[in-house]
Every structure is written in C-alpha cells, then in structure tokens.
Amino acid sequence: ETGVTQSPTHLIKTRGQQVTLRCSSQSGHNTVSWYQQALGQGPQFIFQYYREEENGRGNFPPRFSGLQFPNYSSELNVNALELDDSALYLCASSVAGPQETQYFGPGTRLLVL
Amino acid sequence: SQQGEEDPQALSIQEGENATMNCSYKTSINNLQWYRQNSGRGLVHLILIRSNEREKHSGRLRVTLDTSKKSSSLLITASRAADTASYFCATVPSGNTGKLIFGQGTTLQVKP
C-alpha cells in the first residue's frame, strides 16, 4: 500500500472528448509524475511536477496537460482524445525529490472508443 | 522511447528455484530501479541502486549494476507463486529531472 490513490479506476470515453484523471499522494510528497502504459508495454513518462512547477516532459503532445496542487493532489487532462490514448495511466509520487524512489498508484484504465 | 531492454521477455520456473532477469540501458544514469507489476495494476517499488553502487540486497532480492556495460540484473531467490508478476527496470538518466525510463519488462511465472 503506497498511499497514492487515483480516480476513477476505469473510464470509457469517445474520440474527441476530454478527460481529467486525478491522483492523491501522501502529505509531504513534493514530486508527482504521470505515466502512460499501453497494453504489453512499459510505462512511458508523460510529465513531472516538483513543488507545483512542471519539472520535465516526455514526448507527448500539448493536449496532455497537468497540474499539481498545494494539497499534494494532481490532475492529468487530455483533450481531443484519440483511440491510441487508450491505456493505463499511472501516477507516481516521491517524498525525497524527483530522482528518488517513486510510489505508484493503482492506475486509471482509459478506453477510448 | 524505451531506454532499456530486458531479457528474457518471459520466464517460467518452479517454486523454490531462482529467477534472474537482466536489463540493459543506453545512457549514463543517476540510479536504476526495479519495479513489480501484478496483472496490469500499479507498480510496486522493489529496490533502487545508485550509479556508484555495484550490488544491493533486499530480502530475497539481489540487484547488481555494471555501469561499464550499462546493465543490471535482478535475482529472486527461492521463488514463490506470489512472485508471479511482470518486472520492470527503470533508469533515471544523469542530469535529468528524474523521469523514470522503463524497459519492456520480464513476465515471470512461478509454478507451484
């Protein structure tokens, strides 16, 4: 049990819609990262927030955006959903800083039809 | 893009046997981490080894790191059916913000 929670657990959307995924980490976790995991693949880094500022971004288009809030929660927003956005979205937080052990939530499985 | 490659892609062993998984990566790193994932759910952190370390132990787990060969291995001793899962190595590249770059993973099946 990592103490990192994500909501919702499952979500079905249609192409072109927008989606917001949420993550809540433990108090004091100053870093949160988001990953996309397609079926049968390893997770791919989307972006990272450190003390509420974006601290790095992977190879994802601008329609993927995020926020980190002062209460250590975070959001991932995806606009103009495409079929290839169907994946497991994982949130991870770290208490010791961006380069240290990250604790993952259970993920949100998104299906885009 | 994936940083590393894991070998083998799939491994099937009997309970009580040892399981060894290997990981190779391409760039210089700050540290390398191993994670376990059960049935497509969240990842569980197993162990972190820093670039200036060569070997680390945690319970039945032993991790080695060879930065000259850009490779790491995870050994699970005396495996149990509950160890059945996918195992991923992930690197934090040097000078990076801290993003984890994952390999494709090794699927381990431990038969009772």
Side-chain angles (χ1 to χ4, degrees):
Chain A
E1 191 68 38
T2 65
V4 180
T5 60
Q6 291 187 244
S7 64
T9 55
H10 295 83
L11 199 53
I12 300 175
K13 291 284 189 178
T14 56
R15 197 169 44 182
Q17 285 189 310
Q18 178 265 343
V19 68
T20 297
L21 309 182
R22 294 181 173 83
C23 170
S24 180
S25 58
Q26 294 176 330
S27 174
H29 282 216
N30 54 25
T31 304
V32 65
S33 303
W34 286 90
Y35 294 83
Q36 180 195 66
Q37 186 178 23
L39 202 60
Q41 303 291 316
Q44 298 267 351
F45 175 76
I46 302 175
F47 43 58
Q48 182 182 79
Y49 284 84
Y50 176 54
R51 294 179 175 171
E52 302 173 51
E53 300 277 336
E54 187 176 291
N55 189 48
R57 189 179 180 90
N59 190 25
F60 281 81
R63 59 190 184 85
F64 285 78
S65 62
L67 284 172
Q68 183 185 26
F69 300 104
N71 66 353
Y72 312 110
S73 65
S74 177
E75 285 182 357
L76 164 65
N77 298 290
V78 187
N79 294 322
L81 283 167
E82 301 177 359
L83 298 180
D84 285 349
D85 296 333
S86 296
L88 180 68
Y89 288 84
L90 296 160
C91 158
S93 70
S94 171
V95 65
Q99 295 190 336
E100 299 303 315
T101 298
Q102 296 188 32
Y103 298 92
F104 281 80
T108 293
R109 189 164 295 281
L110 172 66
L111 177 61
V112 182
L113 301 176
Chain B
S1 62
Q2 303 284 1
Q3 156 83 296
E5 296 182 2
E6 288 170 78
D7 171 54
Q9 289 190 333
L11 183 59
S12 181
I13 59 175
Q14 293 294 132
E15 215 167 19
E17 293 181 337
N18 295 341
T20 299
M21 288 160 256
N22 302 296
C23 167
S24 62
Y25 57 92
K26 298 173 185 173
T27 64
S28 61
I29 61 171
N30 176 287
N31 64 66
L32 184 146
Q33 303 177 31
W34 285 89
Y35 287 83
R36 185 185 76 224
Q37 186 176 39
N38 291 85
S39 302
R41 298 298 287 170
L43 284 85
V44 175
H45 180 262
L46 297 176
I47 202 162
L48 181 153
I49 186 165
R50 301 188 188 282
S51 60
N52 60 352
E53 297 175 311
R54 292 296 167 258
E55 188 170 311
K56 210 161 182 181
H57 297 254
S58 177
R60 294 184 295 113
L61 305 180
R62 174 179 158 242
V63 168
T64 61
L65 179 64
D66 186 335
T67 52
S68 66
K69 294 181 180 178
K70 292 187 170 58
S71 67
S72 174
S73 68
L74 170 68
L75 169 66
I76 304 174
T77 60
S79 62
R80 306 166 181 167
D83 294 329
T84 295
S86 293
Y87 291 82
F88 293 91
C89 74
T91 54
V92 177
S94 296
N96 197 271
T97 55
K99 71 178 182 181
L100 289 169
I101 303 179
F102 285 86
Q104 299 271 31
T106 293
T107 300
L108 173 65
Q109 181 185 32
V110 182
K111 300 175 184 175

